[in-house]
Amino acid sequence: MKKIGMAGLRKIQLPLLIAFSTVPLPLAVASFYVQRPWLCVGAVIAAYVLPAILCLFLPGRVRLFSGLAGAAVILLAGALALPIREHVFLFVLPVVYALLLLAGLPMAAWPQEREMPGLWLAVGVVLYGAAQVLISAGRKAGTFPGLVRAAPGLPVCLAVFLLLALLGLNRGGMQDAGMGRHAVPRMMRVKNAILTVAFLALALGIACIPGVVRALGSLWHALTRVIGRFVGWLLTLLPETPVQGDGGAGGGMPELGSLGEAAPPSPILLILERVVMVLALVALAVGALFAVKFLIGRFRRLVRFLQARLRQFAAAAGEDYVDEVTDTRDDAELHNLPILGRLRLNLGDGRRLTPGQRIRRRYLRLRLRHDDWLSSRTARETLPPAAAPLYERARYSGRDVSEQDALDFERETRKM
């Protein structure tokens, strides 16, 4: 069996894309005849996905036989999960997935840059759109009860389908950008995948806002009912106030003067009310404090971000175009060096110079000593193999040169 690796993880997405793009069709068909369509359809699709993934990593000599065995497993799962005896035509569903398994066996030999054809994306979009139309019509007209009952699971399958489709389109776009001649760096692939997942999650979150609002409203109503029941239970624990009569044995009618008077509130209720008010005020104050702290932190970040952007804009707006011609010859500095400069170069003290400047200074001194170097010969042609990269790093690269590099350059060129 082949190792999975990153290429294997990418190929696993291919049969998953086929499975999730076709979910609405068997679900809609099975919902007319089965009470639990998700259980039946899920068994058939799982029987397709597992052998399809396994065949991707099997050697080519056994892949066909494994595909035939997987097709038999799909047919057996469909015969056990679906009511084939009552409705024979339902057996078409496992037959279709068995054919999809056999047709997808060549995917194991696909190159890494090959993605699923756009036909599967179109199939998924059409099937999910048609299923949503049927569900909306069924809810309004009272038809398609089985499909309406199975509707809550479709958004999850749609989210997985969109994720797989967008990841495939992202990889295909990067391959097209490289024109198939340049490999896309791994870090760029990871960043693009993360951005794809993040924007999909943002879009799904925005789409779920109405549902979240309804869920929060239901949660609030449930919470208020629980609090009301709890308060009612507390009231049942309080002692009842006896009704005072005229002192007779039968407890006659209450006095006329007491008809308009309300019973005084219980001390326990007053204490509970004050405790709840204090706790609510404390919670409100703590929440307000954290909210203010959070907003202040975000405002400071926003201010710093805007300041940086303004500085960049000001620098870009005030920058002028300068047409420069750079002489990259190693002896360009010697052509412009006056006589006093050459004397200072030979006799001056280099202890105050940086390591990079010391390397360039020593190389210029070597060129002054060797007149035959003033031709078109480069540093790689004149310096030892270990010293030439040090000089090129000191002159052409923007990286810092260490003290050890300067000592190594001096040691390598000491015999010259």
PDB file of all heavy atoms in Angstrom, residues 160-177:
ATOM      1  N   VAL A 160     -19.774  20.791   3.620  1.00  0.00           N
ATOM      2  CA  VAL A 160     -18.627  19.944   3.278  1.00  0.00           C
ATOM      3  C   VAL A 160     -18.369  19.970   1.773  1.00  0.00           C
ATOM      4  O   VAL A 160     -17.218  20.029   1.324  1.00  0.00           O
ATOM      5  CB  VAL A 160     -18.869  18.506   3.772  1.00  0.00           C
ATOM      6  CG1 VAL A 160     -17.705  17.603   3.386  1.00  0.00           C
ATOM      7  CG2 VAL A 160     -19.053  18.487   5.279  1.00  0.00           C
ATOM      8  N   PHE A 161     -19.442  19.919   0.986  1.00  0.00           N
ATOM      9  CA  PHE A 161     -19.292  19.977  -0.476  1.00  0.00           C
ATOM     10  C   PHE A 161     -18.641  21.298  -0.900  1.00  0.00           C
ATOM     11  O   PHE A 161     -17.731  21.307  -1.748  1.00  0.00           O
ATOM     12  CB  PHE A 161     -20.665  19.816  -1.135  1.00  0.00           C
ATOM     13  CG  PHE A 161     -20.692  20.231  -2.576  1.00  0.00           C
ATOM     14  CD1 PHE A 161     -20.043  19.477  -3.538  1.00  0.00           C
ATOM     15  CD2 PHE A 161     -21.353  21.395  -2.965  1.00  0.00           C
ATOM     16  CE1 PHE A 161     -20.057  19.874  -4.873  1.00  0.00           C
ATOM     17  CE2 PHE A 161     -21.371  21.786  -4.287  1.00  0.00           C
ATOM     18  CZ  PHE A 161     -20.724  21.024  -5.250  1.00  0.00           C
ATOM     19  N   LEU A 162     -19.087  22.405  -0.334  1.00  0.00           N
ATOM     20  CA  LEU A 162     -18.496  23.700  -0.685  1.00  0.00           C
ATOM     21  C   LEU A 162     -17.035  23.769  -0.283  1.00  0.00           C
ATOM     22  O   LEU A 162     -16.195  24.325  -1.012  1.00  0.00           O
ATOM     23  CB  LEU A 162     -19.291  24.825  -0.021  1.00  0.00           C
ATOM     24  CG  LEU A 162     -20.702  25.071  -0.556  1.00  0.00           C
ATOM     25  CD1 LEU A 162     -21.383  26.163   0.251  1.00  0.00           C
ATOM     26  CD2 LEU A 162     -20.664  25.450  -2.029  1.00  0.00           C
ATOM     27  N   LEU A 163     -16.713  23.218   0.882  1.00  0.00           N
ATOM     28  CA  LEU A 163     -15.315  23.233   1.332  1.00  0.00           C
ATOM     29  C   LEU A 163     -14.430  22.450   0.365  1.00  0.00           C
ATOM     30  O   LEU A 163     -13.366  22.935  -0.058  1.00  0.00           O
ATOM     31  CB  LEU A 163     -15.226  22.643   2.738  1.00  0.00           C
ATOM     32  CG  LEU A 163     -13.821  22.487   3.317  1.00  0.00           C
ATOM     33  CD1 LEU A 163     -13.149  23.840   3.442  1.00  0.00           C
ATOM     34  CD2 LEU A 163     -13.861  21.797   4.671  1.00  0.00           C
ATOM     35  N   LEU A 164     -14.834  21.234   0.003  1.00  0.00           N
ATOM     36  CA  LEU A 164     -14.037  20.422  -0.920  1.00  0.00           C
ATOM     37  C   LEU A 164     -13.941  21.088  -2.291  1.00  0.00           C
ATOM     38  O   LEU A 164     -12.871  21.085  -2.920  1.00  0.00           O
ATOM     39  CB  LEU A 164     -14.655  19.029  -1.046  1.00  0.00           C
ATOM     40  CG  LEU A 164     -14.673  18.185   0.241  1.00  0.00           C
ATOM     41  CD1 LEU A 164     -15.459  16.905   0.011  1.00  0.00           C
ATOM     42  CD2 LEU A 164     -13.267  17.878   0.703  1.00  0.00           C
ATOM     43  N   ALA A 165     -15.046  21.668  -2.760  1.00  0.00           N
ATOM     44  CA  ALA A 165     -15.033  22.316  -4.072  1.00  0.00           C
ATOM     45  C   ALA A 165     -14.113  23.534  -4.083  1.00  0.00           C
ATOM     46  O   ALA A 165     -13.324  23.721  -5.019  1.00  0.00           O
ATOM     47  CB  ALA A 165     -16.455  22.713  -4.462  1.00  0.00           C
ATOM     48  N   LEU A 166     -14.177  24.349  -3.046  1.00  0.00           N
ATOM     49  CA  LEU A 166     -13.338  25.553  -3.008  1.00  0.00           C
ATOM     50  C   LEU A 166     -11.865  25.205  -2.863  1.00  0.00           C
ATOM     51  O   LEU A 166     -10.999  25.871  -3.454  1.00  0.00           O
ATOM     52  CB  LEU A 166     -13.790  26.451  -1.854  1.00  0.00           C
ATOM     53  CG  LEU A 166     -15.160  27.122  -2.039  1.00  0.00           C
ATOM     54  CD1 LEU A 166     -15.527  27.925  -0.807  1.00  0.00           C
ATOM     55  CD2 LEU A 166     -15.167  28.011  -3.265  1.00  0.00           C
ATOM     56  N   LEU A 167     -11.558  24.178  -2.080  1.00  0.00           N
ATOM     57  CA  LEU A 167     -10.158  23.756  -1.965  1.00  0.00           C
ATOM     58  C   LEU A 167      -9.633  23.267  -3.312  1.00  0.00           C
ATOM     59  O   LEU A 167      -8.495  23.564  -3.699  1.00  0.00           O
ATOM     60  CB  LEU A 167     -10.023  22.663  -0.907  1.00  0.00           C
ATOM     61  CG  LEU A 167     -10.199  23.105   0.545  1.00  0.00           C
ATOM     62  CD1 LEU A 167     -10.137  21.903   1.478  1.00  0.00           C
ATOM     63  CD2 LEU A 167      -9.140  24.124   0.946  1.00  0.00           C
ATOM     64  N   GLY A 168     -10.456  22.500  -4.037  1.00  0.00           N
ATOM     65  CA  GLY A 168     -10.033  22.056  -5.360  1.00  0.00           C
ATOM     66  C   GLY A 168      -9.850  23.207  -6.333  1.00  0.00           C
ATOM     67  O   GLY A 168      -8.879  23.246  -7.098  1.00  0.00           O
ATOM     68  N   LEU A 169     -10.766  24.163  -6.325  1.00  0.00           N
ATOM     69  CA  LEU A 169     -10.624  25.333  -7.197  1.00  0.00           C
ATOM     70  C   LEU A 169      -9.401  26.161  -6.819  1.00  0.00           C
ATOM     71  O   LEU A 169      -8.723  26.724  -7.694  1.00  0.00           O
ATOM     72  CB  LEU A 169     -11.887  26.184  -7.119  1.00  0.00           C
ATOM     73  CG  LEU A 169     -13.155  25.576  -7.734  1.00  0.00           C
ATOM     74  CD1 LEU A 169     -14.354  26.471  -7.450  1.00  0.00           C
ATOM     75  CD2 LEU A 169     -12.982  25.373  -9.225  1.00  0.00           C
ATOM     76  N   ASN A 170      -9.110  26.245  -5.533  1.00  0.00           N
ATOM     77  CA  ASN A 170      -7.933  26.994  -5.088  1.00  0.00           C
ATOM     78  C   ASN A 170      -6.652  26.347  -5.601  1.00  0.00           C
ATOM     79  O   ASN A 170      -5.760  27.023  -6.123  1.00  0.00           O
ATOM     80  CB  ASN A 170      -7.938  27.069  -3.557  1.00  0.00           C
ATOM     81  CG  ASN A 170      -6.715  27.782  -3.024  1.00  0.00           C
ATOM     82  OD1 ASN A 170      -6.326  28.823  -3.542  1.00  0.00           O
ATOM     83  ND2 ASN A 170      -6.093  27.227  -2.007  1.00  0.00           N
ATOM     84  N   ARG A 171      -6.564  25.013  -5.471  1.00  0.00           N
ATOM     85  CA  ARG A 171      -5.371  24.320  -5.970  1.00  0.00           C
ATOM     86  C   ARG A 171      -5.258  24.453  -7.493  1.00  0.00           C
ATOM     87  O   ARG A 171      -4.167  24.662  -8.030  1.00  0.00           O
ATOM     88  CB  ARG A 171      -5.422  22.850  -5.569  1.00  0.00           C
ATOM     89  CG  ARG A 171      -5.269  22.608  -4.083  1.00  0.00           C
ATOM     90  CD  ARG A 171      -5.058  21.125  -3.816  1.00  0.00           C
ATOM     91  NE  ARG A 171      -6.211  20.345  -4.254  1.00  0.00           N
ATOM     92  CZ  ARG A 171      -7.219  19.992  -3.468  1.00  0.00           C
ATOM     93  NH1 ARG A 171      -7.210  20.375  -2.202  1.00  0.00           N
ATOM     94  NH2 ARG A 171      -8.227  19.275  -3.929  1.00  0.00           N
ATOM     95  N   GLY A 172      -6.381  24.327  -8.190  1.00  0.00           N
ATOM     96  CA  GLY A 172      -6.336  24.494  -9.642  1.00  0.00           C
ATOM     97  C   GLY A 172      -5.923  25.890 -10.061  1.00  0.00           C
ATOM     98  O   GLY A 172      -5.185  26.054 -11.039  1.00  0.00           O
ATOM     99  N   GLY A 173      -6.389  26.901  -9.331  1.00  0.00           N
ATOM    100  CA  GLY A 173      -5.981  28.270  -9.646  1.00  0.00           C
ATOM    101  C   GLY A 173      -4.491  28.490  -9.451  1.00  0.00           C
ATOM    102  O   GLY A 173      -3.844  29.177 -10.256  1.00  0.00           O
ATOM    103  N   MET A 174      -3.925  27.904  -8.382  1.00  0.00           N
ATOM    104  CA  MET A 174      -2.489  28.056  -8.174  1.00  0.00           C
ATOM    105  C   MET A 174      -1.684  27.331  -9.252  1.00  0.00           C
ATOM    106  O   MET A 174      -0.630  27.804  -9.690  1.00  0.00           O
ATOM    107  CB  MET A 174      -2.115  27.544  -6.779  1.00  0.00           C
ATOM    108  CG  MET A 174      -2.543  28.461  -5.652  1.00  0.00           C
ATOM    109  SD  MET A 174      -1.857  27.991  -4.058  1.00  0.00           S
ATOM    110  CE  MET A 174      -2.739  26.448  -3.774  1.00  0.00           C
ATOM    111  N   GLN A 175      -2.178  26.161  -9.699  1.00  0.00           N
ATOM    112  CA  GLN A 175      -1.492  25.466 -10.781  1.00  0.00           C
ATOM    113  C   GLN A 175      -1.548  26.272 -12.072  1.00  0.00           C
ATOM    114  O   GLN A 175      -0.564  26.341 -12.820  1.00  0.00           O
ATOM    115  CB  GLN A 175      -2.140  24.086 -10.994  1.00  0.00           C
ATOM    116  CG  GLN A 175      -1.906  23.108  -9.855  1.00  0.00           C
ATOM    117  CD  GLN A 175      -0.449  22.709  -9.711  1.00  0.00           C
ATOM    118  OE1 GLN A 175       0.330  22.784 -10.660  1.00  0.00           O
ATOM    119  NE2 GLN A 175      -0.077  22.301  -8.511  1.00  0.00           N
ATOM    120  N   ASP A 176      -2.681  26.896 -12.347  1.00  0.00           N
ATOM    121  CA  ASP A 176      -2.783  27.730 -13.544  1.00  0.00           C
ATOM    122  C   ASP A 176      -1.882  28.951 -13.455  1.00  0.00           C
ATOM    123  O   ASP A 176      -1.322  29.402 -14.467  1.00  0.00           O
ATOM    124  CB  ASP A 176      -4.234  28.180 -13.746  1.00  0.00           C
ATOM    125  CG  ASP A 176      -5.146  27.007 -14.091  1.00  0.00           C
ATOM    126  OD1 ASP A 176      -4.622  25.970 -14.532  1.00  0.00           O
ATOM    127  OD2 ASP A 176      -6.370  27.126 -13.891  1.00  0.00           O
ATOM    128  N   ALA A 177      -1.743  29.502 -12.228  1.00  0.00           N
ATOM    129  CA  ALA A 177      -0.855  30.663 -12.074  1.00  0.00           C
ATOM    130  C   ALA A 177       0.595  30.295 -12.353  1.00  0.00           C
ATOM    131  O   ALA A 177       1.352  31.095 -12.910  1.00  0.00           O
ATOM    132  CB  ALA A 177      -1.001  31.240 -10.661  1.00  0.00           C
TER     133      ALA A 177
END
